[in-house]
Amino acid sequence: MKVLIVNTSERTGGAAVAAGRLCDALNNHGVKARMLVRDKQSDDITVSALPHSLLLRWHFLWERWVIFWHLHFKREHLFEIDIANSGTDITRLPAFREADVIHLHWVNQGMLSLADIRRILLSGKPVVWTMHDLWPATAICHYARGCRSYSNRCQRCPLLPDKGGTNDLAARTWHRKQQMLSSGSIAFVACSRWLEGEAKRSALLRGHLVTSIPNAIDTHIYCQHDRSASRQTLQLPTEGNVILFVSQRVTDERKGISYFIEALQLLIKEHPELKDHTTVAILGGHADEVASRLPLPAHALGYIDDEQTIVSAYNAADVFVTPSLEDNLPNTIMEAMACGVPCVGFRVGGIPEMIDHLRNGFLAAPRNSSQLAQGMAWVLGHADRDALQRDALRKVAHSYSQQSVALRYTEIYHQALAQKHFML
């Protein structure tokens, strides 16, 4: 069986990381998989890039321009919306023709248009679509933020200044998605049970298979290393506690940095003894903009794409804190746990499926900085750290290993192939 995994980027972003790890997992377990991306960032021969780089740039800019116009030329929400009005027809490419199964992942920002996806469906090849967020089930948004319009029909989107009328971008994109999805069957796979439940609410996806399979992780790479050596690598204090915060863009409001800052303030207020021997490490873009706002010594590690250095960051930490306000199945939690690091986060999205409260970490009520501080204090001062580490490692081995994830996806591929043959 040959599987073509399609994603906008090869390495940038959580979906790219997850897609790449799945490609490796499949190849390691008997399935011939390769990736097709717009943004190729390595010399990996199993990854192909779309041709015509100037045209690819045009697809991206044209979509942004249309959205910018509908936002009345304001940048707010500019990258929270995708309409897939422009993209590349991949059905003529050799990688597509050679594949038995087409596996879509995150294909936004000018990678594929809705018309391009319709062409894929009309090609007759089985299609699997892994949902890394809610966009396939809504008109234009990736995270609904409490909106439930997609359970019936997206219109008058709160992200847009125009509410309704003939200029309703959400309503028009919803209609185009309906037309696209009526062209063939797609097996949708959410990365968490939470997202599976949200997707099943969508009127768009009725009649399509929707299930959930978690992302995979290579535990030969993400594993425990010597803590002191890891700290020395990153020039972090070798003594005392290290609290780790990781985000591709640290200032992203959805990642909850304001709650993290408030929780640290509460932590020091309630446990002043921690102040003299606790450090915060911040991994991600714009880290330096946040470091000065923290009530503890902070090390802005910045954006790092070297995997071994990222592994060192996790191994340097005593606790990983993820105050995301809405998230699917964060790779960062999986990575931290694979390195034996207990995690603290809000009880939102797919996070409760990863953090088992008081076993491998601590779950706080959503947007509750006081409980987030309580969780950090519990891990740092009151918990059995060895037991937390053992349970974190067990959770990763049982739920996120390459073998278990590859086997579950192989079953989905066989089901999709069987359905296509039955229809023929």
Side-chain angles (χ1 to χ4, degrees), residues 32-53:
K32 294 182 180 179
R34 62 180 302 110
M35 288 184 69
L36 176 65
V37 301
R38 185 193 68 187
D39 305 329
K40 182 173 168 62
Q41 295 151 305
S42 78
D43 56 2
D44 190 336
I45 61 173
T46 66
V47 181
S48 302
L50 292 180
H52 312 305
S53 58

Side-chain angles (χ1 to χ4, degrees), residues 92-110:
R92 300 180 183 181
L93 299 178
F96 183 92
R97 293 199 300 267
E98 294 168 3
D100 299 306
V101 177
I102 307 304
H103 191 161
L104 306 180
H105 282 254
W106 201 89
V107 292
N108 298 110
Q109 296 191 359

Side-chain angles (χ1 to χ4, degrees), residues 196-270:
E196 176 189 0
E198 294 298 299
K200 285 180 174 178
R201 295 173 181 260
S202 173
L204 275 177
L205 304 193
R206 287 171 192 159
H208 295 271
L209 171 69
V210 181
T211 188
S212 61
I213 301 175
N215 297 329
I217 190 167
D218 188 342
T219 52
H220 293 99
I221 296 175
Y222 287 87
C223 56
Q224 287 185 297
H225 294 289
D226 182 77
R227 180 177 296 178
S228 294
S230 297
R231 291 186 177 186
Q232 289 173 3
T233 297
L234 298 170
Q235 298 182 327
L236 295 171
T238 55
E239 301 295 329
N241 302 310
V242 173
I243 299 171
L244 179 64
F245 178 94
V246 179
S247 175
Q248 182 179 353
R249 182 167 60 87
V250 173
T251 53
D252 183 350
E253 180 184 346
R254 184 173 58 84
K255 295 300 182 179
I257 188 65
S258 61
Y259 292 91
F260 180 61
I261 294 171
E262 185 178 3
L264 288 175
Q265 293 169 342
L266 292 170
L267 177 68
I268 297 308
K269 180 179 179 181
E270 295 167 10

Side-chain angles (χ1 to χ4, degrees), residues 112-293:
L112 298 181
S113 69
L114 296 180
D116 297 326
I117 299 173
R118 185 171 185 270
R119 291 187 189 97
I120 294 171
L121 291 172
L122 292 174
S123 74
K125 291 183 182 286
V127 178
V128 176
W129 194 342
T130 291
M131 299 176 60
H132 294 277
D133 54 42
L134 202 51
W135 186 82
T138 71
I140 63 175
C141 73
H142 292 268
Y143 289 92
R145 302 188 179 191
C147 175
R148 288 290 179 264
S149 293
Y150 61 89
S151 62
N152 182 34
R153 179 189 176 214
C154 285
Q155 55 186 338
R156 295 189 287 275
C157 179
L159 297 177
L160 296 169
D162 292 323
K163 301 293 189 290
T166 58
N167 203 33
D168 192 329
L169 182 62
R172 286 191 284 118
T173 306
W174 176 273
H175 180 65
R176 291 172 56 229
K177 276 192 175 180
Q178 280 184 318
Q179 292 180 314
M180 178 268 289
L181 289 168
S182 68
S183 302
S185 177
I186 300 178
F188 288 93
V189 180
C191 295
S192 67
R193 294 190 299 275
W194 165 77
L195 188 59
E196 176 189 0
E198 294 298 299
K200 285 180 174 178
R201 295 173 181 260
S202 173
L204 275 177
L205 304 193
R206 287 171 192 159
H208 295 271
L209 171 69
V210 181
T211 188
S212 61
I213 301 175
N215 297 329
I217 190 167
D218 188 342
T219 52
H220 293 99
I221 296 175
Y222 287 87
C223 56
Q224 287 185 297
H225 294 289
D226 182 77
R227 180 177 296 178
S228 294
S230 297
R231 291 186 177 186
Q232 289 173 3
T233 297
L234 298 170
Q235 298 182 327
L236 295 171
T238 55
E239 301 295 329
N241 302 310
V242 173
I243 299 171
L244 179 64
F245 178 94
V246 179
S247 175
Q248 182 179 353
R249 182 167 60 87
V250 173
T251 53
D252 183 350
E253 180 184 346
R254 184 173 58 84
K255 295 300 182 179
I257 188 65
S258 61
Y259 292 91
F260 180 61
I261 294 171
E262 185 178 3
L264 288 175
Q265 293 169 342
L266 292 170
L267 177 68
I268 297 308
K269 180 179 179 181
E270 295 167 10
H271 301 275
E273 71 279 5
L274 293 175
K275 187 168 185 178
D276 294 332
H277 55 89
T278 302
T279 300
V280 179
I282 309 172
L283 178 62
H286 303 276
D288 52 342
E289 297 178 23
V290 173
S292 61
R293 298 164 56 192

